[in-house]
């Protein structure tokens, strides 16, 4: 049974498991493995579409991939990133949230950013859209933050993150992603918030954790941050499988009888005109 927003809010401290997925097979595997939440993240741009940041990702990309992920995981709560510059105003955010929820079947949207996003978050929540906040390192604006770097290390920035977390909770977010912040800061945010925090590179004291599918299974060849623990080497396994396929085709071993279809000798004879 798919979780409701109310149930998720009550799961503070429950070690929520969130994983990104971007298509039917990854979402199906995530659901079958029993994750609590799926995120169709705009990390899609980097791990699936081959961009070097999330900035080029479009609403069309998100809709296309969310529809596929939803078909793969019909029973899992699914949150979708609104991509860069697709929630610049409350009106634009509402229009795009409506599309991911009504056309693609999302249960919630994720919005990156702090105090500057409050009008957008408030408008979405007022309209009945469940919103997951995302603070700390926000990849869409990573350049303005000095790159993919730890956030909130010094006191002033740590205080800003605490303030943002409190404001986003007051604005009605059902949960908060904390990305790339020191573990003690994430712990403090988690202790102060009544809503669940979901960490990535934010230590063990968050209420849940999220990882990017391709990092977890070893399918992303780009930079692997320290927090991205690999649980499998699927990329190496797939490359090996392709190399064996190529060798068997070139060596005339594939397809063998087990992968071919026979027909009656009589028919073959007649076709050959003998
Ligand atoms: O896009 C994404 O995958 C994310 C996660 C890293 C939280 O935002």
């Amino acid at each position: 049974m798919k979780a409701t927003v109310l149930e998720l809010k009550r799961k503070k401290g429950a070690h929520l498991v969130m994983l990104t997925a971007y298509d039917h097979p990854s979402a199906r595997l995530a659901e079958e493995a029993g994750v609590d939440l799926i995120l169709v993240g705009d990390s899609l741009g980097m791990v699936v579409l081959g961009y070097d940041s999330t900035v080029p990702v479009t609403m069309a990309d998100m809709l296309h991939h969310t529809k596929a992920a939803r078909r793969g995981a019909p029973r899992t709560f699914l949150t979708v990133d609104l991509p860069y510059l697709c929630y610049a105003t409350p009106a634009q955010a509402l229009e795009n949230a409506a599309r991911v929820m009504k056309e693609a079947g999302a249960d919630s949207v994720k919005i990156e950013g702090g105090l500057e996003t409050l009008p957008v978050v408030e408008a979405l929540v007022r309209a009945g859209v469940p919103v997951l906040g995302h603070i700390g390192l926000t990849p869409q604006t990573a350049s303005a933050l000095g790159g993919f770097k730890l956030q909130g290390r010094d006191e002033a920035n740590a205080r800003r993150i605490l303030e943002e977390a409190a404001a986003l909770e007051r604005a009605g977010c059902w949960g908060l992603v904390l990305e790339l912040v020191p573990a003690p800061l994430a712990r403090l945010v988690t202790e102060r918030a009544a809503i669940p925090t979901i960490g990535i590179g934010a230590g063990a004291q968050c209420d849940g954790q999220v990882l990017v599918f391709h990092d977890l299974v070893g399918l992303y060849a780009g930079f692997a941050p320290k927090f991205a623990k690999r649980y499998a080497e699927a990329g190496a396994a797939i490359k090996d499988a392709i190399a064996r396929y190529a060798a068997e085709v070139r060596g005339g071993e594939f397809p063998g009888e087990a992968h071919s279809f026979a027909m009656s000798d009589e028919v073959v004879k007649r076709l050959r005109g003998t």
Side-chain angles (χ1 to χ4, degrees):
M1 262 291 276
K2 202 203 283 182
T4 65
V5 177
L6 207 60
E7 283 163 354
L8 290 172
K9 281 174 88 167
R10 289 193 187 124
K11 288 207 165 165
K12 201 156 163 70
H15 297 288
L16 288 166
V17 178
M18 185 187 233
L19 182 64
T20 68
Y22 316 94
D23 55 19
H24 187 277
S26 58
R28 180 178 59 79
L29 291 170
E31 179 164 291
E32 286 175 4
V35 304
D36 298 302
L37 301 139
I38 286 176
L39 170 66
V40 184
D42 60 356
S43 48
L44 162 75
M46 298 174 77
V47 298
V48 175
L49 301 180
Y51 298 127
D52 60 6
S53 82
T54 59
V55 168
V57 177
T58 63
M59 275 305 297
D61 294 330
M62 296 310 293
L63 287 165
H64 180 73
H65 286 269
T66 301
K67 287 178 190 173
R70 175 45 92 205
R71 287 191 289 271
R75 288 178 296 280
T76 304
F77 190 94
L78 190 145
T79 297
V80 177
D81 261 324
L82 290 188
Y84 180 60
L85 289 186
C86 292
Y87 52 97
T89 64
Q92 189 192 29
L94 277 170
E95 189 182 323
N96 286 327
R99 294 198 69 193
V100 291
M101 296 189 71
K102 289 157 81 96
E103 292 175 34
D107 299 302
S108 159
V109 297
K110 179 162 77 62
I111 298 284
E112 286 187 13
L115 302 182
E116 73 287 358
T117 64
L118 290 178
V120 161
V121 173
E122 282 161 358
L124 288 170
V125 171
R126 209 177 309 119
V129 178
V131 179
L132 177 62
H134 181 159
I135 53 176
L137 189 272
T138 43
Q140 292 173 12
T141 46
S143 177
L145 299 173
F148 285 79
K149 288 194 180 140
L150 187 69
Q151 300 296 307
R153 202 202 288 259
D154 61 71
E155 185 175 340
N157 279 314
R159 284 190 186 282
R160 179 180 48 78
I161 288 171
L162 283 164
E163 190 192 343
E164 287 171 345
L168 286 166
E169 180 177 353
R170 277 196 303 277
C173 284
W174 65 261
L176 283 177
V177 168
L178 303 178
E179 179 164 355
L180 213 44
V181 296
L185 176 60
R187 179 180 187 162
L188 202 53
V189 172
T190 302
E191 283 168 4
R192 291 187 183 175
I195 53 176
T197 59
I198 301 176
I200 175 160
Q205 306 299 324
C206 295
D207 299 304
Q209 298 292 328
V210 55
L211 277 181
V212 168
F213 181 92
H214 292 63
D215 289 339
L216 183 149
V217 301
L219 264 182
Y220 183 54
F223 172 70
K226 171 177 161 172
F227 59 73
K229 181 169 178 185
R230 272 193 191 196
Y231 288 84
E233 294 297 342
I238 291 170
K239 201 182 335 178
D240 177 61
I242 296 169
R244 286 194 290 123
Y245 160 65
E248 288 193 7
V249 170
R250 290 178 185 132
E253 294 160 61
F254 177 82
E257 265 180 38
H259 299 98
S260 303
F261 302 90
M263 70 190 289
S264 118
D265 289 345
E266 286 306 305
V267 175
V268 176
K269 251 192 216 164
R270 282 203 294 279
L271 290 172
R272 286 183 179 276
T274 55

